[in-house]
Amino acid sequence: MSGTEMNGAHLRELASDALRRWPRLRVALRRADRQLGRQVAQLKGTMRAPAPRRLFRAALPAGSSIQARFVGVLDGHTLNLDLEVPPALAADVVGAELHLVRGSTRLTVPAELRHAGDGLAVSAAVLLCARPGGLDLPSGGSWRVECRLVSETGGGDPVRVVGGATERAAGPTVSAPPCPDSGYRYRPVTDQAGRLALAVTAPGALAELTDVRLDWTGASLQVRTFGWRADGPVEVGLEPRGGGESLRVQGELVGPDLLRFSLPLSAMTAAGHVRERIFDVRLHAESRRLRVGTVLHDLTNPKRSLRPPAAIVWAAPGRSVRVRPYFTPAGSLALACLPIQSRSTDGTS
């Protein structure tokens, strides 16, 4: 046995003795060995699977581009853009168009060309909904944004739009609110190459509160369904906080996907209840159980901004109730009911 082999054997004996003496060191070495093995495997996998050539092409600048200085979706369905035309493309330009492209589909909308400082700028406001003059974009993907600069001769190819899709600072409103008509969300995004696109997402199943009617003779809720349609009866469940029996009320169809529910105030303020009771409102249809509330807005906290008025409503002979509807920070509807006992003619309650 050579001197090197003897030294190696001696070192192995010392290492084995150390591991026997300090079991924590043995556990730590095993963990480190596993972690190192995973990192080596990931590195080998990355080296064995070269990125496709098209990814490199997408990451590199290809041809001309226009910089987006502002991109926003206002009111949930109006796309607003402000684009800066580079000097290299501004010569002989007399007009502009905005293009939305997905696959083989290309939609064209007019844009405004104006002078901005020493150069040109393009602005556009595009209505994104099924209203007259709007673009009813299907969901399930992204629409690439392009701009065509029209020259004096009428020529000009669409060029890509880059940048502009930035997150807004936190505040009282959200950056990409849903459309109040359909519940769709239109969100500006950028791909790996920085090209601007518009992501379109359909709503899930919603039960949107559209009206609360309170007067002396009664109280009712009006609810619109989004993202689904009931095939059978629809009920509203009134669930008291703090325990107690839930109440169910069947809805009346008063329009396309629109239901009205009359509140059973007599049962909600049964005899013996003298304190305010709070009911959470849920919609029940077949196997669905949805919270009734408001989400089709641009507010981060609807409780602070949306405050439906309270009213005193007759509930039963000799008994009325003060109904105070309000929204939780998540937009769910709650009904606070305070019984009010009327006095008899002899002065007793």
Side-chain angles (χ1 to χ4, degrees):
M1 180 179 294
S2 64
T4 302
E5 294 176 346
M6 293 179 62
N7 290 335
H10 181 63
L11 289 175
R12 283 194 294 272
E13 290 179 1
L14 291 177
S16 301
D17 182 64
L19 292 176
R20 286 193 298 268
R21 292 175 181 269
W22 296 291
R24 292 183 179 179
L25 177 61
R26 182 171 64 251
V27 174
L29 289 175
R30 288 178 180 173
R31 291 178 178 174
D33 183 67
R34 288 196 298 268
Q35 184 176 2
L36 180 61
R38 287 194 297 267
Q39 294 177 351
V40 171
Q42 292 175 359
L43 180 60
K44 289 182 178 179
T46 304
M47 296 175 64
R48 287 198 304 267
R53 190 174 300 174
R54 64 178 181 273
L55 293 181
F56 287 105
R57 290 200 189 104
L60 294 175
S64 303
S65 64
I66 295 179
Q67 180 71 35
R69 295 186 294 192
F70 173 80
V71 181
V73 179
L74 306 181
D75 302 326
H77 56 203
T78 305
L79 175 64
N80 281 257
L81 300 101
D82 185 68
L83 314 177
E84 180 181 6
V85 180
L89 301 177
D92 301 328
V93 173
V94 295
E97 296 174 346
L98 195 70
H99 291 197
L100 296 176
V101 184
R102 190 174 80 172
S104 60
T105 303
R106 179 178 292 269
L107 304 177
T108 303
V109 294
E112 178 186 355
L113 183 69
R114 71 181 194 279
H115 291 277
D118 297 333
L120 295 177
V122 175
S123 59
V126 185
L127 185 61
L128 303 172
C129 62
R131 295 181 182 181
L135 294 181
D136 189 10
L137 301 179
S139 64
S142 298
W143 293 78
R144 191 171 67 254
V145 180
E146 296 180 354
C147 180
R148 177 174 177 261
L149 300 174
V150 183
S151 65
E152 293 180 350
T153 60
D157 296 326
V159 296
R160 62 179 184 160
V161 177
V162 298
T166 56
E167 293 293 335
R168 285 165 44 183
T173 60
V174 296
S175 58
C179 173
D181 294 344
S182 63
Y184 275 55
R185 287 186 182 272
Y186 305 96
R187 186 167 54 91
V189 296
T190 53
D191 61 13
Q192 293 180 345
R195 294 174 297 191
L196 179 65
L198 187 68
V200 183
T201 307
L206 300 176
E208 179 75 5
L209 180 73
T210 61
D211 190 24
V212 180
R213 297 184 182 181
L214 302 175
D215 57 39
W216 175 246
T217 60
S220 65
L221 308 176
Q222 196 162 275
V223 179
R224 184 178 297 278
T225 61
F226 286 87
W228 65 285
R229 177 165 293 182
D231 297 328
V234 182
E235 295 180 330
V236 149
L238 304 169
E239 303 174 358
R241 295 184 185 177
E245 182 180 359
S246 298
L247 304 173
R248 292 285 190 97
V249 180
Q250 187 163 333
E252 173 191 1
L253 190 64
V254 295
D257 303 321
L258 190 63
L259 297 153
R260 182 179 296 141
F261 302 88
S262 297
L263 298 179
L265 295 180
S266 178
M268 296 169 68
T269 58
H273 291 288
V274 295
R275 295 183 178 179
E276 185 178 68
R277 302 180 71 194
I278 298 177
F279 295 84
D280 292 310
V281 186
R282 301 290 184 266
L283 187 141
H284 299 265
E286 300 169 346
S287 60
R288 298 184 186 273
R289 181 179 179 271
L290 305 173
R291 64 183 181 93
V292 174
T294 178
V295 296
L296 302 184
H297 53 72
D298 62 351
L299 302 172
T300 56
N301 188 345
K303 182 178 181 179
R304 296 179 179 177
S305 304
L306 303 179
R307 297 182 179 181
I312 296 177
V313 185
W314 182 84
R319 187 168 74 250
S320 57
V321 56
R322 181 178 182 270
V323 181
R324 180 175 59 88
Y326 69 91
F327 296 106
T328 68
S332 299
L333 175 66
L335 298 172
C337 300
L338 176 64
I340 300 175
Q341 302 291 337
S342 61
R343 295 183 176 275
S344 60
T345 57
D346 61 358
T348 61
S349 300

